[in-house]
Amino acid sequence: MNEMTFQIRTEGDICLYEQIYQHIRGEIRRGKLLAGERLPSTRALAEYLQVARSTVDYAYGQLLGEGYIESRPCRGYFVCPVEDLLLLDGDMELPGDSGEGVRAGEQGGRPGQGDGAAGEGRAARRQDSTVPGGNETGRDKGMGARAAVDFSPYLIDMTGFPFGIWKKITKNILTYANSDLFAKGGPQGDWGLRCTISRYLHSSRGVDCRPEQIVVGAGNDYLLLLLEKILGRHVRIAMENPTYIRSYQIFRSFAYTIATVDMDECGMRADKLAQADVQAAYVMPSHQFPTGTVMPIGRRMELLKWADGGKDRYLIEDDYDSEFRFRGKPIPALLASDRHGKVIYIGTFSKAIAPAIRVSFMVLPEALLARYRADCSFYSCTVSRIDQSILNEFIGEGYFERHLNKMRKIYRAKHEVLLECLGDLREDFQVSGENAGLHLLLTAKNGMDERELIQRAAQRGVRVYGLSESMVEEAPDSRTVLLGFGGLGDKEIRDGVARLKEVWKGKG
Amino acid sequence: MNEMTFQIRTEGDICLYEQIYQHIRGEIRRGKLLAGERLPSTRALAEYLQVARSTVDYAYGQLLGEGYIESRPCRGYFVCPVEDLLLLDGDMELPGDSGEGVRAGEQGGRPGQGDGAAGEGRAARRQDSTVPGGNETGRDKGMGARAAVDFSPYLIDMTGFPFGIWKKITKNILTYANSDLFAKGGPQGDWGLRCTISRYLHSSRGVDCRPEQIVVGAGNDYLLLLLEKILGRHVRIAMENPTYIRSYQIFRSFAYTIATVDMDECGMRADKLAQADVQAAYVMPSHQFPTGTVMPIGRRMELLKWADGGKDRYLIEDDYDSEFRFRGKPIPALLASDRHGKVIYIGTFSKAIAPAIRVSFMVLPEALLARYRADCSFYSCTVSRIDQSILNEFIGEGYFERHLNKMRKIYRAKHEVLLECLGDLREDFQVSGENAGLHLLLTAKNGMDERELIQRAAQRGVRVYGLSESMVEEAPDSRTVLLGFGGLGDKEIRDGVARLKEVWKGKG
């Protein structure tokens, strides 16, 4: 496969792993890759294609599972004899070749944004009916690669979305809309929505902030872009490792110097942070992604004390999924403990309502608010007044709270099903992060490493996600995978875990 | 007025000039500023408050017009005797003092975005019913300062907006929406919308681009933020002077070095550009803001040749209002003449449809597309799939074209009314920029400078806009004002020009 020069298409509706799978499968079926030929290592191919290694792992796992390739210990992956393959369809035109392409940005993601690979891929597949050169038949051909069960931590349950209410509110807003609603609003967002958000933060997150401090924007990524303009260009920022890798990618695309600071069971270590020579620290105190760590009050105070120790030090609190906590009391935001204007709080409605609700918000401390107004208020608001009005009504009329309560119940039930199913898998795995959020972490004690876990799962049609996808630096010794349950039904969860047991039990 | 320490509030619903007007008026009425006291110069106050000088000019003009202050030649502005003032209402509590505040970002703006000061202020006033400490009575009190006629070049006509059709499409989309539409789409935007935009660019702008090259985003400002990440951090960029000042502010908020390049009647001078040692040039070839210059094909080819002369040279084409041309044939985009991937095209629907439609798009040349995909595709799309679907339907079903034709007629009629009204004002003024767009430029030949024009207009309750607002460097000798007509009715245009004639005629 030295001539494997296929191009990864970053657009369209097929996941990256599927395209890799389909391409190699196609090359084998067409006889371009011959029996016995060695495939590139997953590391080499991942580097070449600039994708996460686990994506290639998963594609290889699928090919292994379907008998296209075989793994020879210590030697690598080899093409199986093609005559052994049952060619089910005669058409060699594969979807990956027909101009359809594959979405980019598969690495990283987080349930808070609902913007993980699988979610986008799925949605895109059904919607984008005008993909050039593509057609339903052509597209469905390659679907053998789709996981039977996808334990994506990046998916949320959309069946619980109150479509009816949302539609009703939208219709009402449009019915009574005058031309003002189609005009552009102020740069920070509509005053009414900001008042509503401020009340919501007070009642549910223990936060007292003025609506003046709130900046509304179309997604966390945009707010971070804006924050770069407020904080300045050459910030040294601390992140945990593992962390939410999309934020890492964004900070890296800035001129920021990123220092990873060690974590313990309480989250980012304050002593290490003090040594790191940074001005800002990015944390998720209510529920760290991906570890699920909840930062106790003691550590919070230590971080705040660190921030108090320097004039221009700030903590960036990404409160991405505080709504979904299954054990213990709700935990207030870090911002609630902030007395000296040291916390920049970022919240989102993309997860708790729907990823399509591209509304996030940022609470700025007074000093940064002044800087925002002086330096950045010419940036127009990225959310339309119509969308802001719909959301304002949805929260203000109590629908949001009702929706959250409903979703909390739904996710708690799924969470319990998953924990119950795991059963004797617990003998071979340590389970963590089980108090909140939409995924668990399983760490193998039976000698399997992350890649083997992913590949074995793929052979049974199950997709799990490696912890190393969230690592800033490579962690070759990871034995941990993430099992998300947000987007799965009970039956799928049970089926998926049963399959995992077949391939994960024992060894060691 | 040495103790004039009032604070400009950057939030709320009162324009900056109004707050300045109200504050000084209040101080005079309350007796805190005494007859004969000298006010700070407009330059000093503008610097102190960090607002555009024309904003203070306008506020002073209003105070002059209402007899609160007087201008003494070569000496400055002085408070008139308070006993001469008729205090109409007893309540001294002024809206500016009651926590309502004033929107920021008044300086700069352009009709393409519909995000000029007056537009926002108006919209905010009627919508934000929850402003703290504010109430309708309190708010209406200060309205004496509102211009009777506001020739804002930043307003568009929303009476022509097809609310009915927009509502119908929205309802349809929501009725048939499944959960996919509430999921997050791909980072570049939905494929369907991008195909539609690509067809639109072909038919109306003479541009051949692939949908793959299109990146959809919530407004031009956001797309420029994204472009910064694609082009890199330390770009040297050329701009015309005057130019669209919001883009200037945005580039300045980047680490970009901005070089202003001289213009002539064909737009940016290519010979000066070649001397400027820059990698990129920002131009509006179809209709330069604010001068209205249309770049002829010869100059376009010169600019393209300049760009061809260096590997990493690009032209950023901001095609903000090409839809509204009243004389001559439609002019193709600069991108249409680009043979070597040198043009980054930015277009918007905010102006041609409505400012609330926060959808802009960028066409990337292949080389930059590759960079975008490698370095930036993790940035989530800032426009929801629902909004994309509505717009896609609006364009795809032919409503957009019909709307454009309708608006072109409406604006042409207003344009003709304004030109006709000007009448013998042409003896004292040179009129330019009259072939396209939603404003004209008037340059005084009677000795009045821009400030005098603005102040005299304000005394008659008319707001006009100084050319120097669009200048990158200060132009103390400007004698040019902008008269926008997009947001005015025929009667207002006639009334406004009649008032201007009263104060602008003669002298010299």
Side-chain angles (χ1 to χ4, degrees), chain A residues 419-440:
Chain A
L419 280 176
E420 175 210 311
C421 288
L422 290 179
D424 61 353
L425 211 52
R426 284 170 180 268
E427 291 162 17
D428 299 301
F429 289 85
Q430 190 197 315
V431 178
S432 56
E434 73 271 35
N435 292 329
L438 306 186
H439 72 274
L440 303 178

Side-chain angles (χ1 to χ4, degrees), chain B residues 103-310:
Chain B
R103 280 168 327 85
E106 178 156 82
Q107 308 98 303
R110 191 184 51 181
Q113 313 307 315
D115 43 20
E120 290 183 14
R122 277 189 189 174
R125 178 162 303 106
R126 291 187 217 136
Q127 278 294 324
D128 289 356
S129 52
T130 49
V131 172
N135 56 62
E136 283 308 322
T137 324
R139 246 177 283 159
D140 284 335
K141 229 173 283 167
M143 294 302 153
R146 182 160 315 280
V149 180
D150 186 349
F151 281 106
S152 170
Y154 313 126
L155 286 178
I156 66 169
D157 188 331
M158 282 299 295
T159 61
F161 182 79
F163 288 104
I165 286 161
W166 197 266
K167 289 175 191 179
K168 199 188 79 186
I169 293 176
T170 305
K171 284 177 191 181
N172 276 345
I173 297 256
L174 284 176
T175 303
Y176 298 107
N178 55 15
S179 61
D180 286 341
L181 206 58
F182 288 87
K184 220 189 65 183
Q188 287 186 235
D190 277 2
W191 181 257
L193 176 60
R194 288 188 286 142
C195 289
T196 302
I197 291 174
S198 145
R199 280 192 295 271
Y200 165 71
L201 286 175
H202 179 80
S203 64
S204 76
R205 309 296 299 124
V207 163
D208 284 313
C209 75
R210 301 181 304 127
E212 282 87 347
Q213 294 173 261
I214 295 173
V215 181
V216 169
N220 287 18
D221 301 359
Y222 169 73
L223 290 176
L224 289 178
L225 281 169
L226 202 57
L227 190 57
E228 183 198 13
K229 303 304 170 205
I230 301 169
L231 287 178
R233 276 190 270 275
H234 301 288
V235 173
R236 294 178 54 86
I237 190 166
M239 300 187 87
E240 293 150 324
N241 188 27
T243 186
Y244 177 42
I245 213 71
R246 185 189 296 265
S247 296
Y248 170 74
Q249 290 172 316
I250 288 172
F251 290 137
R252 207 178 43 177
S253 82
F254 301 170
Y256 283 13
T257 309
I258 301 170
T260 55
V261 169
D262 288 348
M263 298 177 71
D264 58 18
E265 71 289 351
C266 300
M268 183 179 276
R269 280 180 56 178
D271 56 336
K272 297 283 182 185
L273 175 60
Q275 293 163 16
D277 182 27
V278 295
Q279 297 127 269
Y282 170 88
V283 287
M284 297 163 270
S286 300
H287 186 232
Q288 207 265 358
F289 190 90
T291 63
T293 303
V294 176
M295 194 180 283
I297 185 71
R299 180 63 52 86
R300 289 171 186 230
M301 297 319 280
E302 286 178 55
L303 291 189
L304 285 168
K305 198 178 156 198
W306 167 82
D308 285 343

Side-chain angles (χ1 to χ4, degrees), chain A residues 275-286:
Chain A
Q275 295 163 16
D277 182 27
V278 294
Q279 298 127 268
Y282 171 88
V283 287
M284 296 162 270
S286 299

Side-chain angles (χ1 to χ4, degrees), chain A residues 125-146:
Chain A
R125 179 161 303 107
R126 290 184 219 139
Q127 279 294 323
D128 287 356
S129 53
T130 49
V131 172
N135 55 62
E136 284 307 325
T137 324
R139 244 177 285 157
D140 285 335
K141 231 175 280 169
M143 293 301 154
R146 182 159 313 279

Side-chain angles (χ1 to χ4, degrees), chain A residues 165-317:
Chain A
I165 287 162
W166 196 265
K167 289 175 190 179
K168 199 187 79 185
I169 293 175
T170 305
K171 284 178 190 182
N172 276 346
I173 297 254
L174 284 176
T175 302
Y176 297 107
N178 55 14
S179 61
D180 287 340
L181 206 59
F182 288 87
K184 221 189 62 182
Q188 288 185 235
D190 277 2
W191 181 258
L193 176 61
R194 288 188 284 143
C195 289
T196 302
I197 291 174
S198 145
R199 281 192 296 270
Y200 165 70
L201 285 176
H202 179 79
S203 64
S204 76
R205 310 296 299 125
V207 164
D208 284 314
C209 75
R210 301 181 305 128
E212 281 87 347
Q213 293 174 262
I214 296 173
V215 180
V216 170
N220 287 18
D221 301 0
Y222 169 73
L223 289 176
L224 290 178
L225 282 168
L226 202 57
L227 190 57
E228 183 198 14
K229 303 302 171 205
I230 302 170
L231 287 179
R233 275 189 272 276
H234 300 289
V235 173
R236 296 178 53 86
I237 190 166
M239 300 187 86
E240 294 150 323
N241 189 26
T243 186
Y244 177 42
I245 213 70
R246 186 188 296 262
S247 295
Y248 170 75
Q249 290 172 315
I250 288 171
F251 290 135
R252 207 178 43 177
S253 82
F254 301 169
Y256 283 13
T257 309
I258 301 170
T260 54
V261 168
D262 289 348
M263 300 178 71
D264 58 19
E265 71 288 352
C266 300
M268 184 180 275
R269 281 181 56 177
D271 56 335
K272 296 283 182 186
L273 175 60
Q275 295 163 16
D277 182 27
V278 294
Q279 298 127 268
Y282 171 88
V283 287
M284 296 162 270
S286 299
H287 186 232
Q288 206 266 357
F289 189 88
T291 63
T293 303
V294 175
M295 194 181 283
I297 186 70
R299 180 61 53 85
R300 289 171 187 230
M301 298 318 281
E302 286 178 56
L303 291 190
L304 284 168
K305 198 177 156 197
W306 167 82
D308 286 342
K311 186 178 164 290
D312 232 17
R313 285 188 190 165
Y314 294 100
L315 298 168
I316 302 171
E317 173 176 27

